[in-house]
Amino acid sequence: MRTLKFAVLGILSLKPMNEEEIGQTISQDIGCFWSTKHIQVIPEINRLTKEGLITKNSDGYNITHKGSAELDQWLVKDQALDNTAKDIFSLRMYFSHRMDDERICELLQSQKIQHEAKQKFLQVILRQKYKSGHPSHEERGYYLLLKGSIEREAFYVNWLNECLDYIQEESKGQD
């Protein structure tokens, strides 16, 4: 399935945009829960244009009726749970028996700092974008996903703290 196809169609269902605005929306807004390589966006826009799902005019790209219909069909489909995301850090942790405790703690601390920074970044976006409180109907999905992304980062930071505590306690027991 071409998920990027539906990301672009969904973005253009909000308003007409040029290639740069589409790319920014993908990296900045959608990027908190789904990512793609920027280099894939332009070829996808070209495919969507050839398929008659979007058109280009002076305002930028617009979704067509055919594109809206395909987007609506895709939106209402139930989705099976995806395979677990490729998380390189988790893979390293799986093999952490090969590292000394000091190095494991350094890696855990580094990940904790990164996830705390990401959580703060998402909180800033949430505060800036929704100063007045609740989002408009059109922004409801993004609002809920931002909240979920913030919670995901908080969970990850808590898990990293538990890992650090566990390794440190285990190290004390070996002394």
Side-chain angles (χ1 to χ4, degrees):
M1 176 193 323
R2 287 172 33 210
T3 307
L4 180 55
K5 166 186 177 176
F6 297 107
V8 172
L9 290 174
I11 289 166
L12 293 176
S13 75
L14 299 170
K15 66 178 185 177
M17 293 186 198
N18 62 38
E19 292 170 351
E20 185 178 331
E21 292 168 320
I22 293 168
Q24 285 176 343
T25 302
I26 288 172
S27 64
Q28 293 173 3
D29 294 352
I30 295 174
C32 70
F33 60 90
W34 183 81
S35 65
T36 191
K37 292 183 174 125
H38 186 71
I39 197 164
Q40 296 173 314
V41 176
I42 304 297
E44 186 61 40
I45 289 170
N46 293 335
R47 276 191 292 274
L48 294 172
T49 303
K50 286 179 187 172
E51 293 169 0
L53 302 175
I54 63 174
T55 58
K56 185 177 182 180
N57 62 29
S58 60
D59 293 333
Y61 290 92
N62 293 281
I63 190 168
T64 63
H65 291 294
K66 181 180 175 185
S68 290
E70 284 201 28
L71 176 62
D72 290 343
Q73 279 184 319
W74 177 79
L75 285 171
V76 298
K77 287 183 182 175
D78 193 10
Q79 180 72 31
L81 190 60
D82 284 337
N83 290 334
T84 302
K86 292 179 182 177
D87 181 344
I88 295 169
F89 175 73
S90 293
L91 186 59
R92 286 189 177 121
M93 286 303 295
Y94 184 81
F95 299 113
S96 64
H97 66 281
R98 299 182 52 84
M99 293 184 274
D100 61 47
D101 289 350
E102 184 178 336
R103 182 62 184 144
I104 294 169
C105 287
E106 288 171 0
L107 290 172
L108 288 166
Q109 191 63 37
S110 174
Q111 288 292 306
K112 179 182 168 187
I113 290 166
Q114 292 177 63
H115 283 278
E116 286 172 334
K118 187 172 182 181
Q119 182 184 15
K120 287 176 185 169
F121 171 75
L122 294 168
Q123 288 169 331
V124 167
I125 292 172
L126 185 70
R127 281 193 300 275
Q128 288 175 346
K129 195 157 179 78
Y130 304 108
K131 291 176 187 174
S132 62
H134 293 289
S136 67
H137 180 75
E138 290 78 17
E139 294 179 322
R140 172 178 62 185
Y142 182 55
Y143 173 80
L144 293 171
L145 287 165
L146 260 178
K147 299 277 284 182
S149 296
I150 291 166
E151 289 297 318
R152 181 187 64 232
E153 294 304 321
F155 172 82
Y156 212 94
V157 168
N158 287 336
W159 175 73
L160 290 164
N161 282 328
E162 288 177 16
C163 291
L164 282 162
D165 290 346
Y166 181 85
I167 298 296
Q168 290 164 352
E169 285 297 315
E170 191 178 73
S171 292
K172 287 178 189 175
Q174 292 177 359
D175 291 339

